[in-house]
């Protein structure tokens, strides 16, 4: 970008110098000599690099072109390199330097004896060059300020969105705590009391009661973990397949015959989102088996393929129709879709139900 800008400025400087020399040959008077050519070339060279040292460049341009005017008795077009330099210095904010150079050149030009009208016209040109330079500087400052305001507004919108999302998470956490924690605690407490009384009387504790006690305790742990995520936006490291054995053991305690089969093995750690999604899909599928398939025999299979993890849960329950897309299946589908995977959930031929999800391992 800088190289392109310098090339454009050099082209402008060469064009200005060419105009000055062509005007010298067109106007009446002696043709420029070697010294005149050297002065113009030196002025043009200084103009081409004025952005690096604007004040020094303008001083060189003014001296060279003033010498050229005096020596060659040039016309007003000889002021072009100085006008360009004044404009550049003014756009850089050095107005005093621009005014001083303008006055020096106009005074020297007037000393060569041109008409008053020509001097006044030349003075007007310098005023315009200085004003356009100042206007250009102000315009650039305005554009920069506008860009900064736009960037600040964008940052503010993002911060506001994040703040509102945080407030919404806290609100949901409060609602969950107020609506579920008390009820689950009561269930767990009553189940614990019933188990204690049964053991105290020497009676055999019903497996269903033990399952209720275990399930309510796990529900409390899950709820606390969920509330912690909502409040801190940090997911626990063990919120995935590392807890699968515990999940299957609880299912068996509740009377659900669930067997796990693992094919292949992860060549690398699973992405966190895939790990959690696989666990939640299995958890929801087992819950549906317990609710709708009368705790039928169920097979859980994990297949680690080339770039994809396949999760399959099949039960041997009675024949069933296509399920209504309830909250559980909808949640499964949303998880899988978010990871770019596919989900099939429907009745099996001959009875039972199948949930099969393919989760790309490169999605995270």
């Amino acid at each position: 970008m800088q190289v392109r800008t310098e090339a454009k400025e050099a082209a402008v400087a060469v064009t200005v110098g060419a105009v000055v020399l062509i005007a010298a040959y067109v106007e009446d008077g002696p043709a420029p000599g070697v010294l005149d050519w050297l002065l113009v070339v030196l002025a043009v060279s200084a103009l081409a690099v004025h952005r690096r040292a604007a004040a020094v460049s303008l001083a060189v341009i003014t001296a060279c072109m003033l010498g050229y005017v005096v020596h060659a008795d040039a016309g007003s077009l000889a002021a072009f390199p100085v006008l360009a330099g004044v404009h550049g210095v003014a756009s850089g904010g050095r107005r005093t330097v621009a005014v001083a150079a303008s006055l020096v050149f106009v005074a020297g030009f007037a000393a060569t004896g041109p008409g008053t009208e020509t001097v006044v016209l030349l003075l007007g040109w310098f005023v315009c060059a200085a004003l356009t330079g100042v206007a250009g500087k102000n315009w650039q400052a305005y554009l920069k300020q506008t860009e900064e305001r736009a960037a600040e507004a964008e940052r503010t919108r993002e911060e506001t969105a994040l703040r509102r999302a945080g407030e919404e998470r806290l609100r949901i956490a409060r609602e969950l705590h107020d609506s579920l924690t008390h009820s689950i605690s009561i269930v767990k407490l009553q189940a614990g009391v019933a188990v204690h009384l049964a053991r105290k009387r020497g009676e055999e504790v019903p497996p269903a009661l033990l399952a209720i006690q275990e399930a309510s305790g796990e529900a409390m742990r899950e709820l606390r973990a969920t509330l912690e995520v909502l409040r801190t936006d940090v997911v626990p490291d063990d919120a995935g397949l590392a807890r699968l054995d515990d999940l299957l053991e609880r299912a068996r305690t509740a009377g659900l015959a669930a067997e796990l089969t693992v094919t292949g093995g992860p060549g690398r750690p699973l992405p966190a989102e895939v790990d959690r999604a696989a666990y939640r899909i299995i958890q929801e599928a087992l819950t549906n088996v317990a609710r709708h398939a009368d705790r039928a025999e169920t097979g859980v299979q994990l297949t680690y393929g080339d770039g994809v993890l396949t999760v399959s849960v099949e039960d041997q329950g009675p024949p069933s129709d296509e399920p209504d897309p309830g909250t559980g299946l909808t949640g499964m589908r949303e998880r899988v879709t978010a990871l770019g995977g596919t989900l099939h959930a429907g009745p099996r031929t001959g009875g039972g139900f199948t949930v099969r999800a393919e989760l790309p391992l490169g999605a995270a």
Side-chain angles (χ1 to χ4, degrees):
M1 184 64 180
Q2 183 178 358
V3 174
R4 185 179 302 176
T5 300
E6 292 179 351
K8 289 181 179 180
E9 292 177 349
V12 170
V14 171
T15 302
V16 170
V19 169
V20 171
L21 291 173
I22 291 172
Y25 284 100
V26 172
E27 293 175 348
D28 295 333
V34 176
L35 177 60
D36 301 324
W37 272 84
L38 289 176
L39 290 172
V40 173
V41 170
L42 183 57
V44 168
S45 301
L47 179 60
V49 296
H50 80 280
R51 193 175 290 270
R52 299 181 182 178
V56 175
S57 173
L58 180 57
V60 173
I61 295 170
T62 303
C64 290
M65 295 313 297
L66 194 55
Y68 171 72
V69 168
V70 172
H71 184 264
D73 194 21
S76 58
L77 293 182
F80 276 15
V82 187
L83 288 169
V86 167
H87 175 83
V89 170
S91 64
R94 308 187 70 170
R95 303 174 188 176
T96 303
V97 176
V99 171
S102 301
L103 293 177
V104 168
F105 185 84
V106 171
F109 184 84
T112 61
T116 304
E117 183 179 348
T118 303
V119 174
V120 172
L121 177 63
L122 187 60
L123 186 60
W125 286 358
F126 276 102
V127 171
C128 290
L131 290 178
T132 54
V134 173
K137 175 179 173 59
N138 292 338
W139 176 248
Q140 291 297 325
Y142 170 76
L143 290 179
K144 183 178 180 181
Q145 187 178 34
T146 302
E147 292 175 356
E148 290 176 350
R149 288 179 178 176
E152 181 63 26
E154 185 65 25
R155 286 194 297 270
T156 302
R157 281 195 295 270
E158 292 177 357
E159 292 172 358
T160 301
L162 291 174
R163 177 175 55 79
R164 289 178 178 173
E167 292 173 352
E168 183 64 14
R169 288 200 308 270
L170 291 177
R171 186 190 68 79
I172 294 173
R174 289 193 298 269
E175 291 294 332
L176 285 176
H177 180 273
D178 295 341
S179 61
L180 295 180
T181 303
H182 177 71
S183 299
I184 296 176
S185 297
I186 293 298
V187 171
K188 184 175 184 299
L189 177 62
Q190 290 179 341
V193 170
V195 170
H196 174 73
L197 292 177
R199 288 172 176 169
K200 186 175 182 179
R201 290 193 297 266
E203 301 174 356
E204 182 179 357
V205 180
L209 189 58
L210 291 174
I212 292 172
Q213 185 183 33
E214 178 65 22
S216 60
E218 177 61 21
M220 284 296 297
R221 288 189 290 271
E222 289 276 1
L223 181 58
R224 282 195 294 268
T226 301
L227 294 178
E228 185 65 21
V229 171
L230 288 172
R231 290 192 175 104
T232 64
D233 198 23
V234 176
V235 180
D237 294 335
D238 61 346
L241 293 176
R243 302 165 54 196
L244 183 56
D245 289 339
D246 293 338
L247 175 63
L248 294 175
E249 186 60 35
R250 290 195 302 272
R252 297 184 187 108
T253 302
L256 196 156
E259 295 297 330
L260 173 64
T261 303
V262 179
T263 304
R268 55 186 173 84
L270 291 176
E273 290 83 353
V274 174
D275 192 22
R276 291 193 294 270
Y279 176 83
R280 292 303 182 188
I281 289 169
I282 296 172
Q283 183 184 46
E284 180 62 28
L286 292 178
T287 300
N288 289 339
V289 172
R291 292 174 59 190
H292 306 298
D294 195 23
R295 296 180 174 84
E297 183 177 344
T298 303
V300 178
Q301 184 170 0
L302 292 175
T303 303
Y304 294 89
D306 185 13
V308 65
L309 171 66
T310 302
V311 179
S312 178
V313 181
E314 296 184 349
D315 67 73
Q316 307 294 327
S320 61
D321 298 328
E322 287 289 339
D324 295 330
T327 303
L329 289 178
T330 300
M332 282 189 202
R333 196 169 300 280
E334 290 173 347
R335 287 181 183 275
V336 174
T337 301
L339 294 172
T342 58
L343 175 72
H344 168 74
R348 297 174 62 241
T349 302
F353 197 84
T354 297
V355 173
R356 179 184 175 86
E358 294 183 355
L359 305 175
L361 298 181

Short mmCIF file of all heavy atoms in Angstrom, two decimals, residues 55 110 152-154 178 191 199 202 216 255 262 273 276 284 309 321 323 332 345 354 360:
data_model
loop_
_atom_site.label_atom_id
_atom_site.label_comp_id
_atom_site.label_asym_id
_atom_site.label_seq_id
_atom_site.Cartn_x
_atom_site.Cartn_y
_atom_site.Cartn_z
N ALA A 55 8.61 19.41 5.54
CA ALA A 55 9.13 20.77 5.69
C ALA A 55 10.43 20.96 4.92
O ALA A 55 10.61 21.96 4.21
CB ALA A 55 9.34 21.08 7.17
N ALA A 110 7.17 38.21 -7.26
CA ALA A 110 6.78 39.61 -7.49
C ALA A 110 7.98 40.48 -7.79
O ALA A 110 7.90 41.47 -8.53
CB ALA A 110 6.03 40.14 -6.27
N GLU A 152 -16.21 1.24 17.76
CA GLU A 152 -16.64 1.29 19.16
C GLU A 152 -18.09 0.86 19.31
O GLU A 152 -18.46 0.14 20.25
CB GLU A 152 -16.45 2.70 19.70
CG GLU A 152 -16.84 2.88 21.16
CD GLU A 152 -15.99 2.05 22.10
OE1 GLU A 152 -14.84 1.73 21.74
OE2 GLU A 152 -16.47 1.71 23.20
N ALA A 153 -18.94 1.29 18.36
CA ALA A 153 -20.35 0.89 18.40
C ALA A 153 -20.49 -0.62 18.24
O ALA A 153 -21.31 -1.26 18.89
CB ALA A 153 -21.13 1.61 17.31
N GLU A 154 -19.65 -1.20 17.34
CA GLU A 154 -19.68 -2.65 17.15
C GLU A 154 -19.26 -3.37 18.41
O GLU A 154 -19.88 -4.36 18.82
CB GLU A 154 -18.77 -3.03 15.99
CG GLU A 154 -18.80 -4.51 15.62
CD GLU A 154 -20.15 -4.94 15.09
OE1 GLU A 154 -20.89 -4.08 14.57
OE2 GLU A 154 -20.46 -6.14 15.21
N ASP A 178 -35.35 -22.56 41.38
CA ASP A 178 -36.59 -22.37 42.14
C ASP A 178 -37.65 -23.42 41.81
O ASP A 178 -38.42 -23.83 42.68
CB ASP A 178 -37.16 -20.98 41.88
CG ASP A 178 -36.24 -19.87 42.39
OD1 ASP A 178 -35.38 -20.19 43.23
OD2 ASP A 178 -36.37 -18.73 41.92
N ALA A 191 -37.46 -40.78 49.29
CA ALA A 191 -36.94 -42.09 48.91
C ALA A 191 -35.93 -42.57 49.95
O ALA A 191 -35.93 -43.75 50.34
CB ALA A 191 -36.29 -42.02 47.54
N ARG A 199 -35.17 -50.79 55.81
CA ARG A 199 -34.03 -51.49 56.38
C ARG A 199 -34.14 -51.60 57.90
O ARG A 199 -33.71 -52.60 58.48
CB ARG A 199 -32.74 -50.78 55.97
CG ARG A 199 -32.38 -50.96 54.49
CD ARG A 199 -31.22 -50.09 54.07
NE ARG A 199 -30.84 -50.37 52.67
CZ ARG A 199 -30.02 -49.62 51.97
NH1 ARG A 199 -29.47 -48.53 52.53
NH2 ARG A 199 -29.74 -49.93 50.73
N GLY A 202 -36.19 -54.41 58.82
CA GLY A 202 -35.66 -55.68 58.35
C GLY A 202 -36.29 -56.16 57.06
O GLY A 202 -36.17 -57.33 56.71
N SER A 216 -32.78 -39.80 41.74
CA SER A 216 -32.98 -38.46 42.28
C SER A 216 -31.66 -37.82 42.69
O SER A 216 -31.45 -36.62 42.52
CB SER A 216 -33.95 -38.51 43.47
OG SER A 216 -33.43 -39.35 44.50
N GLY A 255 -33.47 -51.35 36.35
CA GLY A 255 -34.12 -52.48 35.70
C GLY A 255 -33.99 -52.51 34.20
O GLY A 255 -34.67 -53.31 33.54
N VAL A 262 -18.11 -51.26 22.16
CA VAL A 262 -17.24 -50.22 21.61
C VAL A 262 -16.41 -50.82 20.48
O VAL A 262 -15.73 -51.83 20.68
CB VAL A 262 -16.32 -49.62 22.68
CG1 VAL A 262 -15.41 -48.56 22.06
CG2 VAL A 262 -17.13 -49.02 23.82
N GLU A 273 -17.23 -30.85 22.37
CA GLU A 273 -18.64 -30.78 21.99
C GLU A 273 -19.15 -32.15 21.54
O GLU A 273 -20.29 -32.53 21.86
CB GLU A 273 -18.83 -29.76 20.86
CG GLU A 273 -18.63 -28.32 21.28
CD GLU A 273 -17.18 -27.91 21.30
OE1 GLU A 273 -16.33 -28.79 21.11
OE2 GLU A 273 -16.90 -26.71 21.50
N ARG A 276 -19.57 -34.45 24.72
CA ARG A 276 -20.78 -34.17 25.50
C ARG A 276 -22.04 -34.57 24.74
O ARG A 276 -22.98 -35.10 25.32
CB ARG A 276 -20.83 -32.68 25.86
CG ARG A 276 -19.77 -32.25 26.86
CD ARG A 276 -20.07 -30.87 27.39
NE ARG A 276 -19.95 -29.85 26.36
CZ ARG A 276 -18.84 -29.20 26.07
NH1 ARG A 276 -17.72 -29.48 26.74
NH2 ARG A 276 -18.80 -28.28 25.13
N GLU A 284 -30.45 -39.59 26.80
CA GLU A 284 -31.84 -39.36 26.41
C GLU A 284 -32.46 -40.63 25.82
O GLU A 284 -33.63 -40.94 26.07
CB GLU A 284 -31.90 -38.22 25.39
CG GLU A 284 -33.29 -37.88 24.92
CD GLU A 284 -34.22 -37.41 26.03
OE1 GLU A 284 -33.71 -36.85 27.02
OE2 GLU A 284 -35.44 -37.61 25.90
N LEU A 309 -17.66 -40.29 14.75
CA LEU A 309 -18.08 -41.13 15.88
C LEU A 309 -19.55 -41.47 15.67
O LEU A 309 -20.39 -40.57 15.56
CB LEU A 309 -17.89 -40.41 17.21
CG LEU A 309 -18.49 -41.11 18.44
CD1 LEU A 309 -17.77 -42.43 18.70
CD2 LEU A 309 -18.41 -40.20 19.67
N ASP A 321 -45.15 -46.86 16.53
CA ASP A 321 -45.30 -45.96 15.38
C ASP A 321 -44.20 -44.90 15.42
O ASP A 321 -43.42 -44.81 16.37
CB ASP A 321 -46.69 -45.29 15.43
CG ASP A 321 -47.81 -46.32 15.34
OD1 ASP A 321 -47.61 -47.35 14.66
OD2 ASP A 321 -48.88 -46.10 15.96
N PRO A 323 -42.48 -41.71 16.27
CA PRO A 323 -42.70 -40.89 17.47
C PRO A 323 -43.00 -39.44 17.12
O PRO A 323 -42.59 -38.93 16.07
CB PRO A 323 -41.38 -41.01 18.21
CG PRO A 323 -40.37 -41.17 17.11
CD PRO A 323 -41.05 -41.99 16.05
N MET A 332 -31.92 -33.84 20.80
CA MET A 332 -30.90 -34.68 20.14
C MET A 332 -30.57 -34.12 18.76
O MET A 332 -29.39 -33.96 18.39
CB MET A 332 -31.43 -36.11 19.97
CG MET A 332 -31.40 -36.99 21.17
SD MET A 332 -31.81 -38.66 20.61
CE MET A 332 -32.39 -39.37 22.14
N ALA A 345 -33.76 -41.44 14.07
CA ALA A 345 -34.48 -41.91 15.25
C ALA A 345 -35.85 -42.40 14.79
O ALA A 345 -36.67 -41.60 14.31
CB ALA A 345 -34.62 -40.80 16.29
N THR A 354 -34.73 -47.35 17.33
CA THR A 354 -33.31 -47.10 17.06
C THR A 354 -33.01 -45.61 17.08
O THR A 354 -33.77 -44.81 16.50
CB THR A 354 -32.89 -47.66 15.69
OG1 THR A 354 -33.04 -49.07 15.69
CG2 THR A 354 -31.42 -47.32 15.39
N PRO A 360 -19.28 -35.86 13.31
CA PRO A 360 -17.94 -35.62 12.76
C PRO A 360 -16.96 -35.21 13.86
O PRO A 360 -17.26 -34.36 14.69
CB PRO A 360 -18.17 -34.47 11.77
CG PRO A 360 -19.64 -34.47 11.49
CD PRO A 360 -20.29 -34.97 12.74
#
